[in-house]
Amino acid sequence: MSTKNKIDKNHLISVIEDIILDEGISGLSIRKVASKANISIGGVQYAFGNKEGMIKAVAHKNEDDYNQQIEILSKNDNSKYAKLKAHINYIANCNSTEEFSKMSRMVTMLLQDEIILKEFQDCYTTSLDSIDTSNDEGKKLRLAFLLSEALFALLSFKYIKLSDKEQKEIFEDLKKFLL
């Protein structure tokens, strides 16, 4: 059996995520992933190439997971603002403290990588540029988008502590008044 068939890339990505969450990107190495996954260093190199490849794989897996959730939340609605509204709902639905904590920690860790940071910046620029702010609907959507992101950041950096109930109420208000 070839090495290709023995390597479970999803398992390796899970191992990489655990290392990043426990030790940050600086604690990530091919040797550490190989040791924790009980495979050879060459197997990790074969799967990802190098450390940057491992980081990109984790970022892309998280992006794919996010995109799947956006598709579900937008109910395949292809209207102009469906994806942005789905994004706001996605942020609003992350009210499980454990789930939110893991997601926000992973985003924070990944943003340490300049390439990933640039990808995030491009995504936000594209999202904001897609909003027509010449009308009230667009202006409200822009505010809702930025407020949901601000709340995510405030909670991620633990500048504020809100119960799941309080988070839900805030997002309900946001949707009621701005969407």
Side-chain angles (χ1 to χ4, degrees):
M1 186 180 281
S2 72
T3 304
K4 184 176 181 178
N5 293 331
K6 292 181 184 177
I7 297 173
D8 181 349
K9 203 166 183 177
N10 289 327
H11 173 68
L12 289 177
I13 290 172
S14 179
V15 169
I16 294 165
E17 285 179 322
D18 290 343
I19 293 169
I20 290 172
L21 288 172
D22 291 342
E23 304 176 38
I25 288 180
S26 62
L28 181 63
S29 70
I30 290 173
R31 183 176 306 281
K32 193 173 287 179
V33 172
S35 175
K36 289 187 181 261
N38 200 27
I39 67 169
S40 70
I41 291 170
V44 177
Q45 289 173 320
Y46 175 80
F48 303 107
N50 55 27
K51 182 176 179 175
E52 190 66 35
M54 293 188 296
I55 294 167
K56 284 182 182 179
V58 168
H60 291 161
K61 180 227 175 233
N62 282 280
E63 181 181 5
D64 290 345
D65 292 348
Y66 165 81
N67 288 332
Q68 288 176 355
Q69 290 302 311
I70 296 303
E71 284 301 316
I72 291 167
L73 290 169
S74 65
K75 298 178 179 70
N76 297 317
D77 178 355
N78 292 320
S79 65
K80 185 173 183 178
Y81 295 135
K83 300 288 188 226
L84 280 171
K85 290 178 180 179
H87 172 82
I88 292 165
N89 283 319
Y90 175 76
I91 299 294
N93 292 338
C94 292
N95 63 354
S96 162
T97 305
E98 185 177 322
E99 175 189 354
F100 179 84
S101 177
K102 181 178 179 183
M103 182 174 60
S104 63
R105 285 177 35 232
M106 184 57 69
V107 168
T108 301
M109 296 295 182
L110 290 173
L111 289 176
Q112 294 173 25
D113 182 88
E114 289 185 34
I115 293 169
I116 304 301
L117 174 61
K118 175 77 170 107
E119 288 177 9
F120 269 82
Q121 290 170 333
D122 291 346
C123 182
Y124 280 108
T125 298
T126 300
S127 294
L128 288 170
D129 287 349
S130 75
I131 302 171
D132 177 5
T133 57
S134 67
N135 58 56
D136 285 345
E137 178 191 17
K139 289 177 183 181
K140 287 179 179 182
L141 180 60
R142 178 176 59 186
L143 283 174
F145 177 74
L146 291 172
L147 288 172
S148 67
E149 290 301 313
L151 184 58
F152 178 82
L154 288 168
L155 292 166
S156 294
F157 293 121
K158 300 184 184 198
Y159 292 158
I160 60 172
K161 285 181 79 174
L162 298 173
S163 68
D164 288 349
K165 181 180 180 219
E166 289 171 311
Q167 288 179 49
K168 185 176 180 177
E169 287 173 355
I170 290 169
F171 276 105
E172 289 305 315
D173 289 347
L174 184 148
K175 290 188 256 184
K176 178 180 176 183
F177 296 113
L178 295 175
L179 295 181

